[in-house]
Amino acid sequence: MCGEIGVLATATLIYHYQNKDYGQLLRNILSFHPNVCCIESNLPDEVLYGRAGYLYTLLFLRSKIPNLHSTITDHMIRQVICAILDSGKKTSQNLHSKWPLTYVWHDKPYVGGAHGYGGILYMLLEAVEHIGSEELVNLIRPTLDMIVDQQFSSGNFPPCLGETDDKLLHWCHGGPGLVYLLATAESIFNDGKYLQAALKAGNDIWQRGLLRKGYGLCHGTTGNAYAFLRLYRLTNDERHLHRAIKFTEWCCHYGQHGCRTPDRPYSLMEGMAGTLYFFLDIINPFEARFPAFQL
């Protein structure tokens, strides 16, 4: 998502809306498919730089451009899913882990949305129609349940498995990035424990989610506010919309909270572009989606 694929996907969509020929752009995206599906390629599985991000790209383009099913086929999507599952199983075997699926980024088992289980499992559940029942029951759901067991009493989640530091409360690391996984799991499995875990995470975001790191999506306040909009869509409880609005009001006083300047102050994930995107998205909260992550 953060590399060439993200640029190509954005360009493909722009060309589609401008009624231009996007065929070569799409072929460039699909040229990565063999490497993505090869678990010997050392490609990570996470969202920003790995297989889950590529899976998102395929699902996203199919959802936005009609008649792509014959080009981005079900079989291609299935192959990416199999690679993600096979990679997780292989890593578990290599590390002699009790986890059905193990995912690491730079040798660490991250939990959050950007690099960890939160993003990988969420993207798999977004493609649940392409997943077999045995895979769902024996691999994905047990791993999901083990992630839920990692939740702190505060409602937050650790940056990495086994860590006890309850400080990071971001989309990239912490509870805000897990809300999407938990909400989608609740919609699929209709098991109250995922709903309760999501609500608990939401309460923690409400208590501690105004961040001095900035206003951006990845590790900023608007990124945290998106979690409230996901909970609103899940529950229809206007309390979550109220919380999102209050976070928005705080962000409207841009630059007045002593927040640090992001490394990329105008970018989508860290900077002003993401903040403005959220401001536009909250106008229609039921249609709001965390960009480059939610479908």
Side-chain angles (χ1 to χ4, degrees):
M1 292 303 299
C2 288
E4 189 175 352
I5 295 294
V7 176
L8 289 169
T10 303
T12 300
L13 200 59
I14 292 172
Y15 271 46
H16 164 67
Y17 288 140
Q18 293 179 341
N19 294 315
K20 294 181 179 179
D21 181 10
Y22 53 80
Q24 186 57 53
L25 293 167
L26 192 57
R27 286 189 288 274
N28 289 342
I29 291 172
L30 298 182
S31 70
F32 288 88
H33 190 268
N35 187 59
V36 169
C37 295
C38 176
I39 63 171
E40 307 300 330
S41 65
N42 294 320
L43 189 72
D45 295 288
E46 46 87 87
V47 167
L48 291 188
Y49 300 97
R51 293 186 180 92
Y54 189 78
L55 176 60
Y56 167 83
T57 300
L58 300 184
L59 297 172
F60 173 74
L61 290 175
R62 287 212 335 182
S63 72
K64 296 296 183 181
I65 302 177
N67 305 318
L68 270 193
H69 284 62
S70 60
T71 306
I72 301 176
T73 65
D74 289 353
H75 179 64
M76 295 176 71
I77 291 174
R78 175 64 189 165
Q79 285 179 307
V80 177
I81 290 170
C82 288
I84 295 172
L85 294 176
D86 289 345
S87 175
K89 290 188 292 184
K90 180 181 178 182
T91 304
S92 281
Q93 293 169 359
N94 291 342
L95 297 178
H96 305 289
S97 172
K98 65 179 181 180
W99 289 63
L101 299 169
T102 297
Y103 296 106
V104 297
W105 167 252
H106 291 306
D107 299 322
K108 290 185 177 182
Y110 283 102
V111 176
H115 303 299
Y117 287 91
I120 297 167
L121 295 182
Y122 164 67
M123 216 56 69
L124 289 172
L125 290 184
E126 283 286 8
V128 68
E129 65 186 89
H130 303 280
I131 295 174
S133 58
E134 289 189 5
E135 294 166 332
L136 204 60
V137 171
N138 297 327
L139 296 174
I140 295 175
R141 191 168 185 183
T143 305
L144 167 63
D145 288 342
M146 295 173 84
I147 289 294
V148 173
D149 290 341
Q150 298 287 311
Q151 190 171 32
F152 294 135
S153 59
S154 66
N156 198 19
F157 286 83
C160 294
L161 295 180
E163 293 188 358
T164 58
D165 190 354
D166 184 9
K167 291 182 179 179
L168 299 182
L169 193 66
H170 315 143
W171 170 77
C172 53
H173 300 297
L178 274 294
V179 165
Y180 307 92
L181 169 61
L182 296 168
T184 304
E186 181 64 29
S187 298
I188 292 171
F189 300 115
N190 196 28
D191 186 325
K193 68 180 177 183
Y194 304 126
L195 173 61
Q196 291 307 310
L199 294 175
K200 190 175 180 180
N203 287 335
D204 188 42
I205 298 167
W206 176 242
Q207 293 295 324
R208 301 191 291 157
L210 295 175
L211 302 178
R212 290 296 180 90
K213 272 196 170 183
Y215 306 89
L217 299 177
C218 184
H219 38 263
T221 299
T222 53
N224 286 356
Y226 261 115
F228 295 137
L229 296 183
R230 182 64 183 95
L231 291 172
Y232 178 52
R233 285 176 49 222
L234 177 67
T235 65
N236 289 316
D237 185 342
E238 292 189 353
R239 170 184 52 170
H240 304 298
L241 179 59
H242 169 79
R243 290 175 171 182
I245 291 170
K246 288 301 178 182
F247 272 39
T248 305
E249 291 175 351
W250 189 85
C251 290
C252 284
H253 299 284
Y254 199 97
Q256 298 181 24
H257 303 103
C259 298
R260 70 172 182 84
T261 301
D263 295 334
R264 299 164 184 82
Y266 302 109
S267 68
L268 176 67
M269 295 305 290
E270 290 186 312
M272 190 177 293
T275 303
L276 294 175
Y277 190 100
F278 173 77
F279 286 171
L280 292 173
D281 234 8
I282 197 174
I283 295 172
N284 296 299
F286 271 108
E287 301 299 322
R289 301 291 187 275
F290 194 113
F293 186 62
Q294 281 185 274
L295 291 166

